[in-house]
Amino acid sequence: MPSSVMPTPRSSDGRPSPAAVSAAGLRKSYGDKTVLDGIDLHIPAGSVFALLGPNGAGKTTAVKILSTLVSADGGQAQVAGHDIATSPHGVRAAIGVTGQFSAVDGLITGEENMLLMADLHHLSRAEGRRVTAELLERFDLTDAAKKPASTYSGGMKRRLDIAMTLVGDPRIIFLDEPTTGLDPRSRHNMWGIIRELVTGGVTVFLTTQYLEEADELADRIAVLHDGRIAAEGSAEELKRIVPGGHVRLRFSDPAAYRSAATALREAAGDDEALTLQIPSGGSQRELRTVLDRLDSAGIEADELTVHTPDLDDVFFALTGGTDQPKETVR
């Protein structure tokens, strides 16, 4: 499928929304392996941006470049208004980074991990203790604060990891696969934390392999494949670029099936299963049109199902995989 990039987000006056993170032609290779092959990004402040891609697609490399952990081979990028090449200290002062693997020290307590991070940010002792107490309470870790972090569950360690990231009050946070390995409850708790951060004005750059996670959280999503952005847009925009949406009608009465086939001439019929399939984008208007045409002909289907492409369909279509369509009974 060809690359499909949606228009840059714009404010009400038609101008591009202020970017917390922007990049143009970003490139990176390791030896003869091209990891990023000229990617462009525009991430508005106060939003969640999700970068999707299979293992090895370059998601972590993109995070490392934008957070100044590694240098790019080509292209330009600005983070919080600072050029990553000429003002790396400005970038680092404005961001927080939570990697795939926890930065928590298991040999010391949760509180000590927080106070250590406060020291690294050069906070005074009083300010460090105040910030530590506030964040431990915010992330529901107060009761466990005096216990060694090695005794924490996976979800607790992840919460502590993000709390440590917030000690410096960053306005942009990079979360590299933050829910990998978490159980469903812990994952949903983490989603709530991310939503709260954005409500507070923080910009979140999220990499994930969980399509449901991107669908739940992200204002805009980019699919990274073979070092390039294969498609970018909101979840709904991305779903519309994949063909195959349809309404399926099933009948038990052969006469009703034949009448419906006459009324809905564009439908593909299965005479044996007594089903009709009508191409549809899944919008309310399209569904109402189908039902109105059936009502006008005095026909009632025994079952109506709607299939609209989801992010699974988008992901597999863009990265060369296969997946089975999903249908929802309405």
Side-chain angles (χ1 to χ4, degrees), residues 9-77:
R10 295 183 178 273
S11 58
S12 58
D13 62 4
R15 297 180 181 178
S17 300
V21 178
S22 63
L26 215 55
R27 298 180 180 276
K28 183 67 179 178
S29 298
Y30 293 102
D32 59 358
K33 170 67 172 176
T34 299
V35 181
L36 298 178
D37 192 13
I39 67 170
D40 300 333
L41 298 171
H42 181 97
I43 304 172
S47 66
V48 180
F49 175 85
L51 188 61
L52 294 179
N55 285 330
K59 302 186 300 296
T60 297
T61 298
V63 169
K64 287 182 176 179
I65 290 174
L66 293 170
S67 59
T68 74
L69 294 176
V70 300
S71 59
D73 295 335
Q76 298 177 330

Side-chain angles (χ1 to χ4, degrees), residues 6 21 25 38 49 54 61-62 68 70 79 92 94 121 133 144 147 207 210 213 222 244 265 270 298 307 315 325:
M6 305 302 172
V21 178
F49 175 85
T61 298
T68 74
V70 300
V79 176
R92 292 169 196 154
H121 281 280
K147 298 177 182 178
T207 75
Y210 296 113
E213 187 161 273
R265 294 189 178 279
D270 183 331
H307 169 75
F315 183 86

Side-chain angles (χ1 to χ4, degrees), residues 124-181:
S124 67
R125 176 178 291 271
E127 180 68 3
R129 289 195 171 280
R130 183 189 67 78
V131 170
T132 291
E134 287 180 356
L135 288 170
L136 287 172
E137 181 177 1
R138 178 178 178 183
F139 286 86
D140 195 23
L141 291 169
T142 301
D143 290 343
K146 303 292 186 182
K147 298 177 182 178
S150 60
T151 65
Y152 289 13
S153 67
M156 292 171 68
K157 287 180 180 177
R158 253 328 188 187
R159 297 204 307 274
L160 178 59
D161 209 4
I162 294 182
M164 291 165 62
T165 301
L166 294 179
V167 167
D169 193 26
R171 306 316 296 159
I172 301 170
I173 298 179
F174 293 90
L175 299 178
D176 193 10
E177 301 192 16
T179 62
T180 296

